[in-house]
Amino acid sequence: MSKRTLRTPFFSVNPKSYLFGEEAVQFAIALDQLAEKYDVDVLFTCQHADLYRVSQAVQHLFVTAQHMDGHQIGRGMGKILPESILAAGAEATFLNHAEHPMMVEDLVNAIKRAQALGILTIACANSIAEAQTIATLAPDMMVCEPTELIGTGKSSDVDYMKQTNEAVRQVNPDILILQGAGISTVADVEKALKSGADATGGTSGIVAAENPLKIAEEMIVTVAKYKKEAN
Amino acid sequence: MSKRTLRTPFFSVNPKSYLFGEEAVQFAIALDQLAEKYDVDVLFTCQHADLYRVSQAVQHLFVTAQHMDGHQIGRGMGKILPESILAAGAEATFLNHAEHPMMVEDLVNAIKRAQALGILTIACANSIAEAQTIATLAPDMMVCEPTELIGTGKSSDVDYMKQTNEAVRQVNPDILILQGAGISTVADVEKALKSGADATGGTSGIVAAENPLKIAEEMIVTVAKYKKEAN
Amino acid sequence: MSKRTLRTPFFSVNPKSYLFGEEAVQFAIALDQLAEKYDVDVLFTCQHADLYRVSQAVQHLFVTAQHMDGHQIGRGMGKILPESILAAGAEATFLNHAEHPMMVEDLVNAIKRAQALGILTIACANSIAEAQTIATLAPDMMVCEPTELIGTGKSSDVDYMKQTNEAVRQVNPDILILQGAGISTVADVEKALKSGADATGGTSGIVAAENPLKIAEEMIVTVAKYKKEAN
Amino acid sequence: MSKRTLRTPFFSVNPKSYLFGEEAVQFAIALDQLAEKYDVDVLFTCQHADLYRVSQAVQHLFVTAQHMDGHQIGRGMGKILPESILAAGAEATFLNHAEHPMMVEDLVNAIKRAQALGILTIACANSIAEAQTIATLAPDMMVCEPTELIGTGKSSDVDYMKQTNEAVRQVNPDILILQGAGISTVADVEKALKSGADATGGTSGIVAAENPLKIAEEMIVTVAKYKKEAN
């Protein structure tokens, strides 16, 4: 199935369970205008119950589920059926986030189903070894926050970003890489993009900020600047 | 918070992952008309991504989530935030279904959060002992399909339905009981209601039938008949 | 089946995954001598692979598994069969620890199986609501560390210990209560016992101390003192 | 660390939760004699609580855990610490069995830890895609029972055995492959080895047989015959 192509560098806004309902819709609309104004591709994740409303309200955002199960139409009470998020207008889904880790079999199936249905996948890993394993499944994007390197004192932030970028690309150079850990300032966005990542984004650094839209705009402006320089 | 009161006996249609998107919406609309026509309360579960569309399309159904997590606004990537299903128009949620079993802590928190927010809860149990434990949490409804009694040859279907009804009511007589295992004919509906259950319902017996709406109508007519007799 | 009766107040040493093999056996032997010397009942948890060796090496300790599954003889690859820990000499098992949370059904079955086999159970809860639910299952002992009260500033440590003691005993006064959060000094042991708990114990406060056996002895001496006063 | 080398074809006896305690020890001793008599390498899995006793009682068997967690010495209540099974005499462990599926991160860590400690790993997969993903982690052995091919009518048993053998070897030719689904007769053992697998084995086909030791011996004799032919 056809998927919309992401233009790099892109940006991801991930409100987790901070936003829902009307507030999520309004924030998505505002981000949609920023995506258009600065000509930057922006992923926006929301609660499953909000996917339809958000999709209906926006034109540019890549509306993204926060999780999806790898199962088939049929049984599966309470599971997130891939077809259901697609029908609700989602174009992408996160998978295997540290707050929603997946069994090996589920992740394998979820990526296969997403590929068959034309859903973009953003798979998460907590270590370089895990990232390289998941990379063999060819998700469209990966987020890698290797806990084993954090706080060792041996690697700077940028060093481990580069190291994970390289580890993933060594397995599959087509996977786009999002460096998103602890992004709360424009300087963080710059650092992530300087590492060679294809994208960056934020959660609490944006939605828990005093003025979420203001910081989101500043970050998107920064991404736009890097995008121009790259082209 | 206020919850709409369910009038007994009521009926539940639970399409699990069989239906999604436009097809789920159309089926819900048809069931909504049956609920009105026969003056029977009907729960309709759907994929989380469809809760908003279905809620917008119906007037009588109790739109019901198939699962909900017990967590708070904040972190929780990929979790189903209680507030999100409420904002999408859901009035109820299943919890701890055999296809989505919950940790003790999660179930306790989910029922507490539902009570605080005014979301009706339908908690599932696989044994009498489990049913009695969960009953102490005072969910609004319970489904109990005690696998230990099935196929023993010692208890008839109706016997174990009565036994589980009694086991739950012994702990908390206010909990409404739904007997829903293997319901695929009008006779099954009658048997469940004759056991003294407050409700019955179906999944594959309805959605995988040749004419789902026809069998749903026959079942709802049967529930309506029992409802009249009871009043 | 018959279970050895615990004499209160008792003490629990819980090395989690800090100790294993010969080192666990030697530490158990030393604790066994302290249990005898001070005439205090002591639970000692260890890795499943060490249960047999430890049981063979001690005479007084209640050798305790750190987890047990609620399943039956038969299938269940990789599960901890209740019969297996009993055959290895364990007299007790922890259940539903925060680092190994259990599904509702599993916990219900595990406690039922333990009761049938004569294995003592220590069930853990993370909130008062969860503690009261689990108390309906009548485990022999409970540990309750209600995260919702910690750090609120409204309740002192001893206050919440008393509150959880009372909450559990309100449901079932026969359940013995172990207050074990953050026990690393003799003063902590005294505080826990003063709260009215039946037991206390430690993990890292003991095994990660400079001299584990010395701190264990001081704590056991303190328990012995309270035991004498109580009798 | 050094690991004992498995000589192919080898055999695996996997009693899951069917056997425990003294009965497991006695069965292991009998199998140990068969392993010696027929000069065939035999893996024997047992409950964690029995690993030490079984290891002490046998000389030839590869004593094998049914599961192991991928965590480090420290916290981890109720987890199976890799060091603990090694200290108990185990030489190998199953991982990610369908009855104990693992999170991606846990499996990655478990295989890494096993490699560091010199524990042989037998990783399980339920589909060809999952098998190929796991093969990138280089476990020593793999079991693949692809549910997607079973019962399709399009592939014979031997066909899908060959297909999975090839799929794994394509990723990493050093991984030994065990074909173990539904092995209950000598003919089944022959079929598995004819497929080109490095090993086969059984669970209920052996331990639930009228005379477990007799069928085990017949199967081991068959493996020995293939071993001679191969050398």
Side-chain angles (χ1 to χ4, degrees):
Chain A
M1 298 254 180
S2 70
K3 293 186 257 194
R4 190 151 57 113
T5 303
L6 274 155
R7 299 166 305 157
T8 58
F10 59 91
F11 192 67
S12 166
V13 179
N14 180 15
K16 294 184 173 178
S17 291
Y18 286 95
L19 293 183
F20 62 90
E22 189 57 28
E23 200 180 358
V25 173
Q26 291 308 322
F27 195 54
I29 290 171
L31 289 171
D32 198 52
Q33 292 165 348
L34 296 177
E36 183 177 23
K37 181 173 175 186
Y38 297 107
D39 194 30
V40 165
D41 283 346
V42 176
L43 272 71
F44 179 77
T45 80
C46 63
Q47 288 283 311
H48 296 97
D50 292 326
L51 286 171
Y52 182 77
R53 294 175 73 177
V54 167
S55 296
Q56 293 288 308
V58 302
Q59 289 186 291
H60 306 281
L61 297 182
F62 284 73
V63 178
T64 302
Q66 297 185 5
H67 169 72
M68 175 186 100
D69 291 300
H71 72 311
Q72 305 279 344
I73 294 172
R75 303 185 68 171
M77 180 75 172
K79 300 286 183 181
I80 307 296
L81 180 69
E83 281 84 350
S84 79
I85 67 162
L86 192 65
E91 293 184 81
T93 188
F94 268 78
L95 293 171
N96 199 43
H97 190 276
E99 296 169 11
H100 202 314
M102 295 175 77
M103 301 291 182
V104 186
E105 184 180 13
D106 295 338
L107 180 62
V108 168
N109 289 342
I111 293 180
K112 275 176 65 179
R113 300 236 52 220
Q115 286 165 343
L117 291 166
I119 299 170
L120 292 160
T121 49
I122 307 112
C124 305
N126 296 316
S127 70
I128 289 180
E130 189 184 2
Q132 292 195 308
T133 306
I134 294 175
T136 66
L137 297 169
D140 298 286
M141 293 162 262
M142 284 196 70
V143 184
C144 180
E145 304 177 2
T147 45
E148 80 259 40
L149 291 180
I150 296 170
T152 58
K154 289 184 185 161
S155 304
S156 74
D157 284 355
V158 173
D159 277 350
Y160 81 69
M161 286 182 188
K162 285 183 181 168
Q163 202 174 333
T164 57
N165 294 347
E166 194 181 334
V168 169
R169 286 173 182 149
Q170 200 179 308
V171 176
N172 183 337
D174 293 335
I175 297 173
L176 300 177
I177 299 172
L178 191 155
Q179 292 286 359
I183 303 293
S184 57
T185 66
V186 163
D188 294 332
V189 169
E190 288 179 335
K191 194 167 61 178
L193 296 182
K194 272 183 193 155
S195 82
D198 301 293
T200 186
T203 296
S204 56
I206 297 173
V207 296
E210 208 179 321
N211 188 336
L213 205 57
K214 182 165 170 290
I215 179 72
E217 180 160 10
E218 290 168 5
M219 289 177 172
I220 290 171
V221 165
T222 308
V223 175
K225 193 185 71 181
Y226 274 78
K227 196 179 157 206
K228 267 193 199 137
E229 287 170 10
N231 299 329
Chain B
M1 298 255 178
S2 71
K3 294 187 257 195
R4 192 149 59 113
T5 304
L6 274 155
R7 300 165 306 156
T8 58
F10 60 91
F11 192 68
S12 167
V13 179
N14 180 16
K16 294 183 173 177
S17 292
Y18 286 95
L19 294 182
F20 62 91
E22 189 57 27
E23 200 180 357
V25 173
Q26 292 308 321
F27 194 54
I29 290 172
L31 289 171
D32 199 52
Q33 292 166 347
L34 296 178
E36 181 176 27
K37 179 172 176 186
Y38 297 108
D39 194 30
V40 165
D41 283 346
V42 176
L43 272 70
F44 179 77
T45 80
C46 63
Q47 287 284 311
H48 295 98
D50 292 326
L51 286 172
Y52 183 77
R53 295 175 71 177
V54 167
S55 296
Q56 293 287 311
V58 302
Q59 288 186 293
H60 306 282
L61 297 182
F62 285 72
V63 178
T64 302
Q66 296 185 6
H67 170 71
M68 174 185 100
D69 291 299
H71 72 310
Q72 306 279 344
I73 293 172
R75 303 184 68 170
M77 180 73 173
K79 301 286 183 181
I80 306 295
L81 180 69
E83 281 84 349
S84 80
I85 67 163
L86 192 66
E91 292 185 81
T93 187
F94 269 77
L95 293 171
N96 198 44
H97 191 277
E99 295 168 12
H100 201 313
M102 295 174 76
M103 301 291 182
V104 186
E105 184 180 14
D106 294 339
L107 180 61
V108 169
N109 289 342
I111 292 180
K112 275 176 66 181
R113 301 234 54 219
Q115 287 165 343
L117 292 168
I119 299 170
L120 292 160
T121 49
I122 306 112
C124 304
N126 295 317
S127 70
I128 290 179
E130 189 184 3
Q132 291 195 307
T133 306
I134 294 175
T136 66
L137 297 170
D140 297 287
M141 295 162 260
M142 284 196 72
V143 184
C144 180
E145 304 178 1
T147 45
E148 79 261 39
L149 292 179
I150 295 169
T152 59
K154 289 182 185 162
S155 304
S156 72
D157 283 355
V158 173
D159 277 350
Y160 81 70
M161 286 182 186
K162 285 182 180 167
Q163 202 174 333
T164 57
N165 294 346
E166 194 180 333
V168 169
R169 286 172 181 147
Q170 201 179 307
V171 176
N172 183 337
D174 293 336
I175 296 172
L176 301 177
I177 299 171
L178 191 156
Q179 292 285 1
I183 304 292
S184 57
T185 67
V186 164
D188 293 333
V189 169
E190 288 179 331
K191 195 167 62 178
L193 295 182
K194 272 182 192 156
S195 81
D198 301 293
T200 188
T203 296
S204 56
I206 297 173
V207 296
E210 205 178 326
N211 188 335
L213 205 55
K214 182 164 170 291
I215 180 72
E217 179 159 13
E218 289 169 4
M219 288 178 172
I220 289 171
V221 165
T222 308
V223 175
K225 192 184 71 179
Y226 274 78
K227 196 180 157 206
K228 268 192 197 135
E229 287 171 10
N231 299 327
Chain C
M1 299 253 178
S2 71
K3 292 186 259 195
R4 190 149 61 112
T5 303
L6 274 155
R7 299 166 305 156
T8 59
F10 60 90
F11 192 68
S12 167
V13 180
N14 180 17
K16 295 184 173 178
S17 293
Y18 285 94
L19 294 182
F20 62 90
E22 189 57 27
E23 199 181 358
V25 173
Q26 291 308 322
F27 195 54
I29 290 173
L31 289 171
D32 199 51
Q33 292 165 346
L34 296 177
E36 182 176 27
K37 179 173 176 187
Y38 297 107
D39 194 30
V40 165
D41 283 347
V42 176
L43 271 72
F44 179 77
T45 79
C46 63
Q47 287 284 311
H48 295 97
D50 292 326
L51 286 171
Y52 182 77
R53 295 174 73 176
V54 168
S55 296
Q56 293 287 309
V58 301
Q59 288 185 293
H60 306 281
L61 296 183
F62 285 73
V63 178
T64 302
Q66 297 185 6
H67 170 72
M68 175 186 101
D69 292 299
H71 72 310
Q72 305 280 344
I73 293 171
R75 303 185 67 172
M77 180 74 173
K79 301 286 183 182
I80 307 296
L81 180 69
E83 282 84 351
S84 79
I85 66 162
L86 192 65
E91 293 185 80
T93 187
F94 268 77
L95 294 171
N96 198 43
H97 191 277
E99 295 168 10
H100 202 314
M102 295 174 77
M103 301 289 182
V104 186
E105 184 180 14
D106 295 338
L107 179 61
V108 169
N109 289 342
I111 292 181
K112 276 176 66 180
R113 301 234 54 220
Q115 288 165 343
L117 291 167
I119 299 169
L120 292 160
T121 49
I122 306 113
C124 305
N126 295 316
S127 69
I128 290 179
E130 189 184 3
Q132 292 196 308
T133 306
I134 294 174
T136 67
L137 296 169
D140 297 287
M141 294 162 261
M142 283 196 72
V143 184
C144 180
E145 304 177 2
T147 44
E148 79 261 40
L149 292 179
I150 295 169
T152 59
K154 289 182 185 164
S155 305
S156 73
D157 284 355
V158 173
D159 276 351
Y160 82 69
M161 286 182 186
K162 285 182 180 167
Q163 202 174 332
T164 56
N165 294 346
E166 195 180 333
V168 168
R169 287 171 181 149
Q170 201 179 306
V171 175
N172 183 337
D174 294 335
I175 297 172
L176 300 177
I177 299 171
L178 190 155
Q179 292 286 0
I183 304 292
S184 57
T185 67
V186 164
D188 294 332
V189 169
E190 288 179 331
K191 195 167 62 178
L193 296 182
K194 272 183 192 154
S195 82
D198 301 294
T200 188
T203 296
S204 56
I206 297 172
V207 296
E210 208 178 323
N211 188 335
L213 205 56
K214 181 164 170 290
I215 179 73
E217 179 159 12
E218 289 168 3
M219 288 178 172
I220 289 171
V221 165
T222 308
V223 175
K225 191 185 71 180
Y226 274 79
K227 195 179 159 208
K228 266 190 200 139
E229 286 171 10
N231 299 328
Chain D
M1 297 252 179
S2 69
K3 293 187 259 195
R4 191 150 58 112
T5 303
L6 275 155
R7 299 165 305 157
T8 59
F10 59 91
F11 192 67
S12 166
V13 179
N14 180 16
K16 293 184 173 179
S17 292
Y18 286 95
L19 294 183
F20 61 91
E22 189 56 28
E23 200 180 356
V25 173
Q26 292 308 321
F27 194 54
I29 290 172
L31 289 172
D32 198 53
Q33 292 165 348
L34 296 178
E36 182 176 24
K37 180 174 175 186
Y38 297 108
D39 194 29
V40 165
D41 283 345
V42 175
L43 271 70
F44 179 75
T45 80
C46 62
Q47 288 284 311
H48 296 97
D50 293 326
L51 286 172
Y52 183 77
R53 295 175 72 177
V54 167
S55 296
Q56 293 287 310
V58 302
Q59 288 185 292
H60 306 281
L61 297 182
F62 285 72
V63 178
T64 303
Q66 297 185 6
H67 169 71
M68 175 186 100
D69 292 300
H71 72 312
Q72 304 280 345
I73 293 173
R75 303 186 67 171
M77 180 75 172
K79 301 287 183 179
I80 306 297
L81 180 69
E83 281 85 351
S84 79
I85 68 162
L86 191 66
E91 293 184 82
T93 186
F94 268 77
L95 293 171
N96 198 43
H97 190 277
E99 295 169 11
H100 202 315
M102 295 175 78
M103 301 291 181
V104 185
E105 184 180 13
D106 294 338
L107 180 61
V108 169
N109 289 342
I111 292 180
K112 276 175 65 180
R113 300 236 51 221
Q115 287 164 343
L117 291 167
I119 299 169
L120 292 160
T121 49
I122 307 113
C124 305
N126 296 316
S127 69
I128 289 180
E130 190 185 1
Q132 292 194 307
T133 306
I134 294 175
T136 66
L137 297 169
D140 297 287
M141 294 162 260
M142 284 196 71
V143 184
C144 180
E145 304 178 1
T147 46
E148 79 260 41
L149 292 179
I150 295 170
T152 59
K154 289 184 185 163
S155 304
S156 73
D157 284 354
V158 173
D159 276 350
Y160 80 69
M161 285 182 188
K162 285 182 182 168
Q163 203 174 333
T164 57
N165 294 347
E166 193 181 334
V168 168
R169 286 171 182 151
Q170 200 179 308
V171 176
N172 183 338
D174 293 335
I175 297 172
L176 301 177
I177 299 172
L178 191 155
Q179 291 286 358
I183 303 292
S184 57
T185 66
V186 163
D188 294 332
V189 169
E190 288 179 333
K191 194 167 61 178
L193 296 182
K194 272 183 194 156
S195 82
D198 301 292
T200 186
T203 296
S204 57
I206 297 172
V207 296
E210 208 178 323
N211 188 335
L213 205 56
K214 183 165 170 289
I215 179 73
E217 179 159 11
E218 290 169 4
M219 289 177 171
I220 289 170
V221 165
T222 308
V223 175
K225 192 185 70 181
Y226 274 78
K227 196 179 157 207
K228 267 190 202 140
E229 287 172 9
N231 299 328

